[in-house]
Every structure is written in C-alpha cells, then in structure tokens.
Amino acid sequence: MPRSITPRARRARFGIAAAVTVAFAVPLQAQMMDRPDLDAIYKIKQEGFQNSQVMDITSWLTDVYGPRLTGSPNIRTAGEWALQQLTGWGLVNAELEPWGQFGRGWSNERFVVHAVSPQKYPIIGYPSAWTPGTNGPVTAEVALATIATEEDMATYRGTLRGKFVLTQPMREVEAQFDALGRRLTEDELAALAMQPPPRAGGPRFRGGNRGFRQRLMEFYTEEGVAALIHPGRGDGGTIFGTGNGPRDPEAPETPPQLSIAIEHYGRIVRTLEKNIPVTLEIDIQNQFYDDDLDGFNVIAEIPGTDKADEVVMLGGHFDSWHGGTGATDNAAGSAIMMEAVRILQATGLRPRRTVRIALWSGEEQGLLGSRAYVRNHFADPATGEQSSAYDKFSAYFNVDNGTGAIRGVYLQGNEAVAPIFQRWMTPFNNLGMSTLTIRNTGGTDHLAFDAVGLPGFQFIQDPVEYSTRTHHSNMDVYERIQAVDMMNNAVIVASFVYHTAMREERLPREPMPVRPRTDAGAGR
C-alpha cells in the first residue's frame, strides 16, 4: 500500500523538481537549437549511399579532363563540364568567374626519354611545368653538374653546352618497410584533439636564395644546355614534382626541364662515375597559352528560402599538377563538393540560406583563386575593408587532404563553434567522425576566409597514401581514390552545409584579424 504524502512533503518535492527544471533549462535549449535534423540526415544518407555519383564525377575530372593545370585548355574544358553538371542538377547563377591575372597557360603534348648508350632502356619521368620543349628529338651526352655556389658556376663554365645536365647528386634510396597507406589511429586523433602548446620565439621566416636560383638558371641558359634533368622526389616508380618555369610571358625562357625516377637517375650517375659516357634521346613537346592570362573559379548556387541573402559556401581546389591526373589533389575534393550539392538538390531539402559551391583555380600557386574571391567579394585582408556581403556570410567548408575518410574538423581556433559541430558530428560517429581540434591546418583554401575573420574550416581526413604516394606525383590517378570514403565524405559535407544553412543565426566567428595573416602558405 502506498505511503501517504503530506502537503509539506509534496511542496518540497515540487520545489526540487522545479529547481531541476530550471537548472537544465539553458543547456537543453542550447541542445535543441543545434540538434541535428535526423530526418534530413536520413534523406542525405539515402541519396548519398544508394544513388552516389561521386566516383563518376571523379572519373570525368581525372580520366577525361585531368590534369587541370591552371591556365591550360584542360582546366577550361573541365570547368565547362562542371558548369553543365551543376546547372543540370538545378543549381543557378553558374559561371566561370574570372578572378584576375594568373599568367600564361601550359600543357605537355609529348614526352619521351630513352637511354641510347651504353645500353638502351626507357626512362620514367615527366616534364616540369611552364618550361619549354626540345623542339623535336634531341640526342646528347649527359653531364653531372651539381652547382650550389657561384664558384661552382665558374668551375663548370664552358663545359655544358649541348648536354643534358643532371642537377643534383644521387641520394640514398631506402627500402619501404612501412605501408604507404594508413588510417589515423585513435591515439593520433586523441593527440590531435588536444590544445597545442604555444610556439616559443618570434616569427619564423622561410624561403631560399631566390636570387642565386635565378642566376643559376641564367647560367644554364647562357651555357646552352640541352635540358636540365632533376632527380624525382619519391621512389618505386613514383615521382613527385611540379613546375620550374615562369608564368610571365615576358620572362626569359629557361632550358627544357624534366624530373625522372630516382632509380633511373641513379643508374646514369653510377655509370658516369665509372667514366663511361651516357647518351640519352629526349623529345619534349610543350605548349604555352598566352591568349587569356586570367584565372577563373567555378561558381554555382542553391538559392535559399527566407534567408536567401545570407551565404554558406563549400569548395575545394579544381586545379592540379600534371604528373598524374590530379585525382587525390584535388579532384577528390571537387567531386565531393559537387556530389554534396547534388545530394541536397536530389533530396528536395530547401536550405534557408543560399548554398554556394566554389571550385578554385590557382591553388597550387598559393591559394590564388580563393584569396582573390574573398578579396573581391567579402574583405581585403591587407586593409580590413569589408563589403556589404561580409556580414551575410555564415561559413565555408573545404576538402583538400586527398581521398581519406573525414574524421573530424579543424576549428581554426574558433572555440564557440565546437559545441555546435560536436552535435552535428554525432550521427556520423559510426562513420568514424568524432574529433574536433582547435588547431589550424595550413595550405588549403579555407585559409583565405580565415585570413579576414570569416569562419573557414578544413575537415580532418585519414592520410591514406596522400603524402607517401599521390600528392603532386605521377601516381595521383583515379585508381588511388577510395570509393567508400568519398561517398561518406560527400554525405558528411552535405549534412554540415545543410545544418549551417538552416540555423537561426550564422555560425560564430572570430574577430577580424588586426593585421594581415601570413600563414596561408602555398597549395597542398
């Protein structure tokens, strides 16, 4: 039989319940405000997992149009294809938006390197961007000339005319005992989530002796070398390399330049060290494009509803280097972002804010496209001057760390956004996304936004083979893309963009930097 409750006990119990209700009222309200919309996430997952087009998009960008060097015909035709896809999915205001002068375009039409003597064998390599070709097949002897000082120039003066010059000494090549691909471990993610210690000391300055490098190139030109051969970074048939020539059409031309596999480079060096001459045949046909020196970004929008004048952006860089087809760097990011907006359109979800996708060019030369876009549309990082669109901006989300699965978000020091993202990550914990770090990550286009105090975020991703095999290499091709990771990533991005677009308020932001930030770095 239940025990009777006196009026005094009843009043006391009611008071305790009221106190508990008041105590939890604020946090529950906060949780309700940024609670993930599970119905919307269900639709996003269904579309992204059952009807994914992300790998087909990747194949078009890489197999059909890649590589996409900024200023080349490839990036132009790839951009036009992307516009066609975006408008076909129902996005509006789609355009290839010019952002300013980039410089001349360049492409390679033919590349053949073959040893002629003392033995005949093919050589793996590729040409350096923005350098001239050989004007047909050239057969010449090879000379090893490692020049590090002005005195070295004097030593080799008059000895290199008409020769293929090896520019560096041979380096040691070690066995690859560790796997080239990997996932982030739980310990690594836990360490990444910790606040980093403050950096001691003053500013750090980087950069080499650019003046000496310029004089060295002038020396090679004056000497009349047939071509410069660099040892490719990497081994096992993977060659990392980029460009060595000027983009300014008025700049003096350099000699033809190429990077070759370190194992083939070593064979030539060791043969020369035995006082046995080596002869190569090289045929490089490169093309310059000077008709249009401007760069462009691919832009398109999903219009918002009641907050259509406010903007949420997502993007990644569209350009690549030329050794492979620019798959993990960064067709992966571009395809993920294109798939994310396709998913949002296909689900019929109607974001309150306008969702704008941007695929950048000139990233590999120093975030040029995104920096110019931010300066033209939102704020000048040098002066702090803001446009009327500055206060209408909510956030920018970026993917540019390869094909690996998204594991969390770099917060760029934005403490206030952490509890919001924590809630939005919860439905994706079962996909391995669980980590927030206050840290900054460098070298990607989100820094252009962060430099003017706008919330810009790069996702934490598994490295897979990014630094070890694909980044700026001849192995950056479609086969290195991980399909399941790409599908998961597109779903996660679509959800984060949607929830940002649906919030009552824009995402919290840091104050406008007091002085221009200089940590934007070059492209990844």
Side-chain angles (χ1 to χ4, degrees), residues 123-147:
I123 292 174
I124 300 172
Y126 62 92
S128 301
W130 287 285
T131 62
T134 57
N135 295 319
V138 175
T139 301
E141 286 191 1
V142 180
L144 175 61
T146 56
I147 300 175

Side-chain angles (χ1 to χ4, degrees), residues 63-86:
D63 299 326
V64 179
Y65 296 112
R68 301 166 308 283
L69 207 66
T70 298
S72 70
N74 284 26
I75 196 171
R76 173 69 59 173
T77 53
E80 291 168 351
W81 176 84
L83 283 186
Q84 183 181 25
Q85 297 301 303
L86 293 167

Side-chain angles (χ1 to χ4, degrees), residues 34-54:
D34 285 304
R35 184 177 62 181
D37 184 339
L38 297 182
D39 289 338
I41 291 174
Y42 175 82
K43 294 178 181 178
I44 289 170
K45 284 186 173 182
Q46 282 292 104
E47 180 61 31
F49 294 153
Q50 302 302 320
N51 302 313
S52 177
Q53 295 183 26
V54 70

Side-chain angles (χ1 to χ4, degrees), residues 2 35 92 119 162 189 250 259 271 314 327 400 403 512:
R35 184 177 62 181
V92 300
Q119 298 289 330
L189 289 169
E250 302 301 322
S259 296
T271 304
L314 69 161
D400 180 22
T403 183
M512 179 75 168

Side-chain angles (χ1 to χ4, degrees), residues 124-254:
I124 300 172
Y126 62 92
S128 301
W130 287 285
T131 62
T134 57
N135 295 319
V138 175
T139 301
E141 286 191 1
V142 180
L144 175 61
T146 56
I147 300 175
T149 65
E150 301 281 353
E151 290 75 15
D152 292 337
M153 288 189 206
T155 300
Y156 287 102
R157 192 175 301 278
T159 67
L160 303 177
R161 180 165 297 278
K163 294 184 177 180
F164 297 135
V165 176
L166 305 182
T167 61
Q168 301 292 328
M170 182 59 187
R171 60 177 170 82
E172 183 179 358
V173 179
E174 299 180 351
Q176 297 175 350
F177 292 108
D178 297 325
L180 296 179
R182 67 183 187 88
R183 301 285 187 185
L184 290 171
T185 67
E186 292 303 317
D187 287 344
E188 287 175 317
L189 289 169
L192 188 61
M194 297 298 291
Q195 174 79 41
R199 190 172 66 184
R204 299 182 181 181
F205 299 96
R206 293 182 297 177
N209 190 340
R210 182 175 297 181
F212 175 77
R213 293 198 300 271
Q214 182 176 345
R215 290 193 300 276
L216 179 58
M217 200 57 60
E218 292 170 353
F219 167 79
Y220 287 135
T221 303
E222 293 167 0
E223 289 297 296
V225 303
L228 300 175
I229 302 176
H230 308 295
R233 192 168 54 83
D235 54 52
T238 298
I239 306 171
F240 299 89
T242 51
N244 298 90
R247 303 194 309 271
D248 183 354
E250 302 301 322
E253 278 195 354
T254 71

